Amino acid sequence: METYADLIECEDVLLFANAAITSTGQREFHSAAGEQRLSLAFLHDYIHGNYPDLYAATLALDINDHNAALIIANLLKRGAGLPGAGDARLIAGRLARMSPPRVYRLFQELRRAGVNNRRTRAIIRDWLAARPDLAFDAVKYRSALKSAVRHAHLRPEGELGDFLFAPFRRARYEAPLLEAWRRAHYDKNALYELPYTVAEGFAARHGISRAAFLERVAPRLTKLERLRLTGAAERDGVRTEADLTAMPLVRLASYVLSLAPDVRARRRAELVAALRAAAARAAGARAGTWGDVAAVLDDSFSSFGSPVKRRRPLAVALACHYLLRALAGSYRGLWLSGRSDPLQARPTGPTPLGRRILDALEGRPGLLVIVSDGWDNAPPGLAAEVLRVWRRKLDPAGEVGIVHLNPVYDAEQIEVRRLATVVPTAGIRDAEDLPALVELARFAEGRTGLAELRAYLEDRAARR
């Protein structure tokens, strides 16, 4: 039987999970970066201090890399909170899924903080040993790799050690990338054998024009580099040939929203096909299995996000729209603005959530998904009242499942903003996490408790 303390613990962990999924410590529409960081730091300290085992277990959830790095740093800084091999396995698994720049930044933070215990050195050593090509890292992240090697007391042998600590000692390197870096200092052609970000610096040093550089470097770009450079390259008359269908859904949606309305209209067939292909890939075997689904999607002015997270909430809503369409047997998407063409979505107007929720519930779908930052203001509080009456009076048996997914962390409330206590709210960052978040949201309904939550976290950890 669940005790009151168990219910509090369950709520606390879910509160932290939602924050760790959504917040990156950056400025949001309603809160500054300092407020975000302060609020997030408090949550990390609170959960780590009160529930150290569950704090580590949240690494198994789909939290963002910013919070995963904070959790790992806190666990390693406070060695007493990392007693067993299970947590070390979680850390290693999470580091393997993080981007290399993020991991190197974490290692540099540990060095600045003076965290150099045996477990920390072992984690750095094992992560570096698992890297597919340390020569590539030495060229692209040279200073960061050198810092990590020093901090872990490692001694790279042969060419790698010389390259990191005395790069011009050798007249020639056997490793092609290391040799290309050496030659690029005096040979313009050698720079095109290097990773894009490194080659870019050498191109500026040699005075190569941007258009000429992009023309030659385009075949070597990664998928994400192609997408990121598409707009700038086209202005220089260069086609990067980015494969939009291979992009993650939210990143692709962000790219679509960055285009001018007339460009979206001209490239409609290409962009819609890419969004649907990415959504079908994310849905996988679950495609078409969710039955009758309705969605209320927030494209109000606050979905602009902030200058550092430009249109991020709107991109999440657009990505969820296409993913829900792929998951559902039948689907109806309702935008707050009343817009019928999701490809032309833009942040505008107030947030009449209550009215659109009424429209969605009118058809009694099997599942209603609300994607919004939760700032219901036209009129204020209507959404909460609609959901309360619906759940208490019109559908007490819960025949219509309702889930609120919020892409924005509310620093003042220390949680993702809820619409109503009768409806579960989960934080969301990447649309691909939507099925797992709908599953996780059931814990917030009070129908399952701490034992089930612990079992869920253990199962996720075992599958990582």
Side-chain angles (χ1 to χ4, degrees), residues 30-32 35-36 39 375 409-415 417:
H30 292 284
S31 59
E35 295 173 297
Q36 287 277 321
S39 179
W375 286 84
Y409 175 67
D410 188 333
E412 184 177 349
Q413 293 192 358
I414 320 181
E415 64 175 343
R417 195 177 186 88

Side-chain angles (χ1 to χ4, degrees), residues 17 40 48 52 58 61 118 187 199 217 259 336 347:
L40 202 56
H48 189 202
T58 55
L61 298 176
R118 181 179 56 83
D187 182 358
V217 82
L259 301 174
L336 296 189

